[in-house]
Amino acid sequence: MTATASGEAQDAAAERFLGQLLAFEGRPAATAGKGKDPVNEAMIRHWCEAMGDANPAYTGPDAIAPPTMLQAWTMGGLSGHTARSGAYEELLALLDGAGCTSVVATDCEQEYLRPLRPGDTVTFDAVIESVSPLKTTRLGSGHFVTTRMDIRAGGELAGTHRFRILKYAPAAPRPAAPRPPAPPLPDAPSRRPERPRRPRPVVNRDNQGFWDGVRDHKLLIQRCTSCAALRFPWLPGCNACAGLDWDTVEACGEATVFSFVVMHHPPFPAFDPPYAVALVELAEGVRMITNITGVPYGAVRIGMPVRLEFLRVDEDLELPVFRGGTEG
């Protein structure tokens, strides 16, 4: 068989496989699903505490659920849901059989049509909305699968949730090609290659004061002069009372790790993965995203005490980070 004929056969097989995938579009992904719990104050409270959201709309006798909790009311937990359709399982099995055995969630879109309130019973149906042609990414080659869930309360449509995954065949790791050292210029001292610069933070009129504080080795937190609520990151108005006037307090520098991730992929210039990115809770009660220094990334733990320090990244950029290993 010639190379041309082999290529045409592969293209035909790929076209047939795509046709099999597209036949799933419009078929149900879940039918007559029911939330495991009614909308309730306890889950709303936990969500708001985790997010640091003190909006008064989410408390009291007329409370509503935060709109972004929409998916939370439909989750099956570790025991799963019985509403998932056979069609969705067949689609995933078809992709598995083609070598697309890995999966990563890529994005979601939500639309809110009416607020959910404590006591509402949530029901839902989902449909396989689209399956993409073969796509090649840094993770590998595969197909994006998008489902759309319609979520109802009391039979009334409350919102929609689109969820997209990539089912892919992992790409083989590519060994880094060794680069021969460039010969030094005649009669010139050899120089180390210049390291890529970190991205510059966006400084504007709303956060200029924060970066002025960093320049002076101070971590400044905004404080509303109307209700005394602290807020971070810096905002033009108070998210508790909508007041526009504020002053600042200087953080003492003590914090604990509230949550963290270890970044392995994708690689960015000027960063050396793996490294830890953490959400730390300051002693003053607000939280901020930062890097953890002073300990290996594998030693970072939730609840670990950390202390503020300022890291000189290059000649014109200094950043507040938090150092681990402060116990004892």
Side-chain angles (χ1 to χ4, degrees):
M1 181 181 290
T2 66
T4 300
S6 176
E8 289 176 349
Q10 291 177 352
D11 290 343
E15 193 69 27
R16 285 194 301 272
F17 182 67
L18 178 59
Q20 291 178 281
L21 298 178
L22 295 179
F24 285 90
E25 292 186 346
R27 296 180 65 182
T31 305
K34 184 176 180 180
K36 291 196 168 182
D37 297 281
V39 178
N40 62 83
E41 294 175 358
M43 288 175 66
I44 293 172
R45 183 178 68 254
H46 292 319
W47 176 280
C48 290
E49 288 177 356
M51 298 298 176
D53 193 340
N55 192 317
Y58 307 142
T59 60
D62 298 320
I64 63 172
T68 49
M69 286 188 74
L70 187 67
Q71 186 189 18
W73 307 113
T74 68
M75 288 181 171
L78 295 177
S79 59
H81 263 303
T82 58
R84 179 179 280 190
S85 74
Y88 192 70
E89 300 288 0
E90 290 173 26
L91 173 59
L92 298 185
L94 186 62
L95 289 164
D96 285 341
C100 299
T101 53
S102 295
V103 63
V104 62
T106 61
D107 60 288
C108 69
E109 303 171 18
Q110 293 184 340
E111 181 180 5
Y112 313 118
L113 302 175
R114 58 147 282 190
L116 294 172
R117 293 182 169 83
D120 281 340
T121 298
V122 167
T123 58
F124 58 90
D125 298 282
V127 65
I128 301 168
E129 192 168 64
S130 66
V131 184
S132 78
L134 185 68
K135 302 290 185 181
T136 299
T137 72
R138 288 197 60 145
L139 292 175
S141 296
H143 299 265
F144 290 94
V145 178
T146 304
T147 55
R148 189 195 75 242
M149 180 178 288
D150 294 330
I151 300 166
R152 296 176 173 82
E156 182 182 357
L157 188 63
T160 61
H161 175 80
R162 283 183 173 84
F163 193 71
R164 188 172 294 110
I165 63 171
L166 173 65
K167 281 282 286 178
Y168 66 97
R174 290 180 292 182
R179 295 184 178 181
L185 296 174
D187 302 323
S190 59
R191 293 185 298 176
R192 299 174 68 180
E194 186 173 329
R195 181 180 175 84
R197 286 159 57 91
R198 281 207 189 193
R200 306 290 98 174
V202 175
V203 181
N204 54 38
R205 64 181 183 180
D206 291 329
N207 66 10
Q208 179 69 58
F210 171 77
W211 291 106
D212 290 345
V214 170
R215 180 196 60 212
D216 298 331
H217 284 191
K218 297 179 180 179
L219 182 62
L220 299 180
I221 305 168
Q222 279 183 308
R223 177 175 58 190
C224 176
T225 54
S226 296
C227 70
L230 301 180
R231 63 181 187 262
F232 195 92
W234 282 39
L235 297 169
C238 178
N239 55 6
C241 74
L244 298 178
D245 297 322
W246 52 271
D247 58 12
T248 63
V249 295
E250 182 179 354
C252 71
E254 301 290 342
T256 56
V257 175
F258 185 81
S259 182
F260 72 95
V261 296
V262 175
M263 298 295 296
H264 293 270
H265 185 87
F268 291 100
F271 293 87
D272 297 317
Y275 54 92
V277 178
L279 178 67
V280 301
E281 184 164 279
L282 307 186
E284 291 75 17
V286 298
R287 299 170 189 157
M288 66 177 289
I289 295 175
T290 183
N291 287 121
I292 301 297
T293 64
V295 295
Y297 68 88
V300 178
R301 294 289 183 269
I302 291 174
M304 184 176 74
V306 290
R307 182 160 184 83
L308 173 68
E309 66 178 18
F310 291 87
L311 176 66
R312 171 64 65 179
V313 175
D314 54 43
E315 68 279 358
D316 61 1
L317 180 61
E318 198 165 15
L319 298 173
V321 297
F322 284 78
R323 174 171 288 272
T326 60
E327 291 180 292

PDB file of all heavy atoms in Angstrom, residues 95-113:
ATOM      1  N   LEU A  95     -14.710   6.398  23.438  1.00  0.00           N
ATOM      2  CA  LEU A  95     -13.477   7.181  23.464  1.00  0.00           C
ATOM      3  C   LEU A  95     -12.357   6.406  24.156  1.00  0.00           C
ATOM      4  O   LEU A  95     -11.200   6.438  23.701  1.00  0.00           O
ATOM      5  CB  LEU A  95     -13.723   8.513  24.165  1.00  0.00           C
ATOM      6  CG  LEU A  95     -14.579   9.508  23.367  1.00  0.00           C
ATOM      7  CD1 LEU A  95     -15.091  10.629  24.259  1.00  0.00           C
ATOM      8  CD2 LEU A  95     -13.785  10.087  22.201  1.00  0.00           C
ATOM      9  N   ASP A  96     -12.688   5.690  25.224  1.00  0.00           N
ATOM     10  CA  ASP A  96     -11.684   4.857  25.885  1.00  0.00           C
ATOM     11  C   ASP A  96     -11.114   3.836  24.906  1.00  0.00           C
ATOM     12  O   ASP A  96      -9.902   3.603  24.858  1.00  0.00           O
ATOM     13  CB  ASP A  96     -12.287   4.124  27.083  1.00  0.00           C
ATOM     14  CG  ASP A  96     -12.511   5.037  28.281  1.00  0.00           C
ATOM     15  OD1 ASP A  96     -11.886   6.115  28.325  1.00  0.00           O
ATOM     16  OD2 ASP A  96     -13.316   4.676  29.162  1.00  0.00           O
ATOM     17  N   GLY A  97     -12.007   3.217  24.125  1.00  0.00           N
ATOM     18  CA  GLY A  97     -11.574   2.198  23.177  1.00  0.00           C
ATOM     19  C   GLY A  97     -10.669   2.737  22.089  1.00  0.00           C
ATOM     20  O   GLY A  97      -9.885   1.987  21.493  1.00  0.00           O
ATOM     21  N   ALA A  98     -10.785   4.042  21.814  1.00  0.00           N
ATOM     22  CA  ALA A  98      -9.927   4.672  20.808  1.00  0.00           C
ATOM     23  C   ALA A  98      -8.622   5.177  21.409  1.00  0.00           C
ATOM     24  O   ALA A  98      -7.852   5.864  20.728  1.00  0.00           O
ATOM     25  CB  ALA A  98     -10.674   5.822  20.143  1.00  0.00           C
ATOM     26  N   GLY A  99      -8.363   4.854  22.689  1.00  0.00           N
ATOM     27  CA  GLY A  99      -7.123   5.282  23.329  1.00  0.00           C
ATOM     28  C   GLY A  99      -7.231   6.564  24.119  1.00  0.00           C
ATOM     29  O   GLY A  99      -6.262   6.980  24.751  1.00  0.00           O
ATOM     30  N   CYS A 100      -8.421   7.193  24.095  1.00  0.00           N
ATOM     31  CA  CYS A 100      -8.611   8.454  24.832  1.00  0.00           C
ATOM     32  C   CYS A 100      -9.022   8.118  26.268  1.00  0.00           C
ATOM     33  O   CYS A 100     -10.176   8.326  26.674  1.00  0.00           O
ATOM     34  CB  CYS A 100      -9.658   9.332  24.146  1.00  0.00           C
ATOM     35  SG  CYS A 100      -9.213   9.806  22.468  1.00  0.00           S
ATOM     36  N   THR A 101      -8.077   7.600  27.023  1.00  0.00           N
ATOM     37  CA  THR A 101      -8.385   7.064  28.355  1.00  0.00           C
ATOM     38  C   THR A 101      -8.205   8.093  29.467  1.00  0.00           C
ATOM     39  O   THR A 101      -8.573   7.822  30.610  1.00  0.00           O
ATOM     40  CB  THR A 101      -7.480   5.861  28.642  1.00  0.00           C
ATOM     41  OG1 THR A 101      -6.106   6.254  28.443  1.00  0.00           O
ATOM     42  CG2 THR A 101      -7.808   4.698  27.708  1.00  0.00           C
ATOM     43  N   SER A 102      -7.617   9.230  29.158  1.00  0.00           N
ATOM     44  CA  SER A 102      -7.416  10.266  30.173  1.00  0.00           C
ATOM     45  C   SER A 102      -8.482  11.348  30.004  1.00  0.00           C
ATOM     46  O   SER A 102      -9.033  11.534  28.916  1.00  0.00           O
ATOM     47  CB  SER A 102      -6.024  10.885  30.063  1.00  0.00           C
ATOM     48  OG  SER A 102      -5.030   9.923  30.359  1.00  0.00           O
ATOM     49  N   VAL A 103      -8.756  12.055  31.092  1.00  0.00           N
ATOM     50  CA  VAL A 103      -9.788  13.084  31.051  1.00  0.00           C
ATOM     51  C   VAL A 103      -9.344  14.275  31.882  1.00  0.00           C
ATOM     52  O   VAL A 103      -8.681  14.127  32.915  1.00  0.00           O
ATOM     53  CB  VAL A 103     -11.148  12.534  31.566  1.00  0.00           C
ATOM     54  CG1 VAL A 103     -11.042  12.115  33.020  1.00  0.00           C
ATOM     55  CG2 VAL A 103     -12.258  13.556  31.379  1.00  0.00           C
ATOM     56  N   VAL A 104      -9.676  15.462  31.408  1.00  0.00           N
ATOM     57  CA  VAL A 104      -9.434  16.686  32.164  1.00  0.00           C
ATOM     58  C   VAL A 104     -10.616  17.621  31.925  1.00  0.00           C
ATOM     59  O   VAL A 104     -11.126  17.729  30.802  1.00  0.00           O
ATOM     60  CB  VAL A 104      -8.099  17.353  31.748  1.00  0.00           C
ATOM     61  CG1 VAL A 104      -8.102  17.776  30.289  1.00  0.00           C
ATOM     62  CG2 VAL A 104      -7.794  18.560  32.629  1.00  0.00           C
ATOM     63  N   ALA A 105     -11.113  18.225  33.002  1.00  0.00           N
ATOM     64  CA  ALA A 105     -12.160  19.232  32.861  1.00  0.00           C
ATOM     65  C   ALA A 105     -11.517  20.519  32.357  1.00  0.00           C
ATOM     66  O   ALA A 105     -10.459  20.926  32.850  1.00  0.00           O
ATOM     67  CB  ALA A 105     -12.847  19.466  34.195  1.00  0.00           C
ATOM     68  N   THR A 106     -12.147  21.155  31.379  1.00  0.00           N
ATOM     69  CA  THR A 106     -11.536  22.337  30.775  1.00  0.00           C
ATOM     70  C   THR A 106     -12.240  23.634  31.146  1.00  0.00           C
ATOM     71  O   THR A 106     -11.586  24.631  31.409  1.00  0.00           O
ATOM     72  CB  THR A 106     -11.485  22.207  29.245  1.00  0.00           C
ATOM     73  OG1 THR A 106     -12.814  22.087  28.725  1.00  0.00           O
ATOM     74  CG2 THR A 106     -10.665  20.995  28.832  1.00  0.00           C
ATOM     75  N   ASP A 107     -13.563  23.660  31.185  1.00  0.00           N
ATOM     76  CA  ASP A 107     -14.248  24.896  31.547  1.00  0.00           C
ATOM     77  C   ASP A 107     -15.726  24.616  31.760  1.00  0.00           C
ATOM     78  O   ASP A 107     -16.226  23.530  31.422  1.00  0.00           O
ATOM     79  CB  ASP A 107     -14.070  25.976  30.466  1.00  0.00           C
ATOM     80  CG  ASP A 107     -14.627  25.555  29.117  1.00  0.00           C
ATOM     81  OD1 ASP A 107     -14.028  24.691  28.448  1.00  0.00           O
ATOM     82  OD2 ASP A 107     -15.684  26.075  28.733  1.00  0.00           O
ATOM     83  N   CYS A 108     -16.412  25.601  32.335  1.00  0.00           N
ATOM     84  CA  CYS A 108     -17.858  25.499  32.495  1.00  0.00           C
ATOM     85  C   CYS A 108     -18.477  26.874  32.299  1.00  0.00           C
ATOM     86  O   CYS A 108     -17.812  27.905  32.486  1.00  0.00           O
ATOM     87  CB  CYS A 108     -18.245  24.899  33.843  1.00  0.00           C
ATOM     88  SG  CYS A 108     -17.899  25.972  35.242  1.00  0.00           S
ATOM     89  N   GLU A 109     -19.741  26.894  31.908  1.00  0.00           N
ATOM     90  CA  GLU A 109     -20.501  28.126  31.751  1.00  0.00           C
ATOM     91  C   GLU A 109     -21.822  27.951  32.490  1.00  0.00           C
ATOM     92  O   GLU A 109     -22.456  26.897  32.393  1.00  0.00           O
ATOM     93  CB  GLU A 109     -20.792  28.413  30.269  1.00  0.00           C
ATOM     94  CG  GLU A 109     -19.568  28.499  29.381  1.00  0.00           C
ATOM     95  CD  GLU A 109     -19.954  28.556  27.901  1.00  0.00           C
ATOM     96  OE1 GLU A 109     -21.131  28.861  27.609  1.00  0.00           O
ATOM     97  OE2 GLU A 109     -19.094  28.282  27.062  1.00  0.00           O
ATOM     98  N   GLN A 110     -22.230  28.979  33.207  1.00  0.00           N
ATOM     99  CA  GLN A 110     -23.495  28.912  33.928  1.00  0.00           C
ATOM    100  C   GLN A 110     -24.369  30.114  33.566  1.00  0.00           C
ATOM    101  O   GLN A 110     -23.866  31.208  33.338  1.00  0.00           O
ATOM    102  CB  GLN A 110     -23.261  28.881  35.447  1.00  0.00           C
ATOM    103  CG  GLN A 110     -22.583  27.612  35.918  1.00  0.00           C
ATOM    104  CD  GLN A 110     -22.447  27.539  37.422  1.00  0.00           C
ATOM    105  OE1 GLN A 110     -22.505  28.555  38.115  1.00  0.00           O
ATOM    106  NE2 GLN A 110     -22.240  26.337  37.953  1.00  0.00           N
ATOM    107  N   GLU A 111     -25.674  29.879  33.549  1.00  0.00           N
ATOM    108  CA  GLU A 111     -26.655  30.939  33.335  1.00  0.00           C
ATOM    109  C   GLU A 111     -27.691  30.836  34.456  1.00  0.00           C
ATOM    110  O   GLU A 111     -28.203  29.748  34.738  1.00  0.00           O
ATOM    111  CB  GLU A 111     -27.340  30.793  31.974  1.00  0.00           C
ATOM    112  CG  GLU A 111     -28.355  31.887  31.682  1.00  0.00           C
ATOM    113  CD  GLU A 111     -29.025  31.706  30.325  1.00  0.00           C
ATOM    114  OE1 GLU A 111     -28.757  30.680  29.660  1.00  0.00           O
ATOM    115  OE2 GLU A 111     -29.819  32.579  29.947  1.00  0.00           O
ATOM    116  N   TYR A 112     -27.975  31.950  35.105  1.00  0.00           N
ATOM    117  CA  TYR A 112     -28.871  31.962  36.255  1.00  0.00           C
ATOM    118  C   TYR A 112     -30.188  32.632  35.863  1.00  0.00           C
ATOM    119  O   TYR A 112     -30.203  33.774  35.394  1.00  0.00           O
ATOM    120  CB  TYR A 112     -28.223  32.707  37.425  1.00  0.00           C
ATOM    121  CG  TYR A 112     -26.786  32.289  37.666  1.00  0.00           C
ATOM    122  CD1 TYR A 112     -25.739  33.203  37.545  1.00  0.00           C
ATOM    123  CD2 TYR A 112     -26.477  30.969  37.990  1.00  0.00           C
ATOM    124  CE1 TYR A 112     -24.432  32.807  37.752  1.00  0.00           C
ATOM    125  CE2 TYR A 112     -25.164  30.566  38.197  1.00  0.00           C
ATOM    126  CZ  TYR A 112     -24.141  31.494  38.076  1.00  0.00           C
ATOM    127  OH  TYR A 112     -22.846  31.107  38.272  1.00  0.00           O
ATOM    128  N   LEU A 113     -31.290  31.915  36.070  1.00  0.00           N
ATOM    129  CA  LEU A 113     -32.598  32.415  35.655  1.00  0.00           C
ATOM    130  C   LEU A 113     -33.498  32.778  36.822  1.00  0.00           C
ATOM    131  O   LEU A 113     -34.384  33.614  36.683  1.00  0.00           O
ATOM    132  CB  LEU A 113     -33.286  31.367  34.770  1.00  0.00           C
ATOM    133  CG  LEU A 113     -32.496  30.980  33.512  1.00  0.00           C
ATOM    134  CD1 LEU A 113     -33.193  29.860  32.770  1.00  0.00           C
ATOM    135  CD2 LEU A 113     -32.333  32.197  32.601  1.00  0.00           C
TER     136      LEU A 113
END
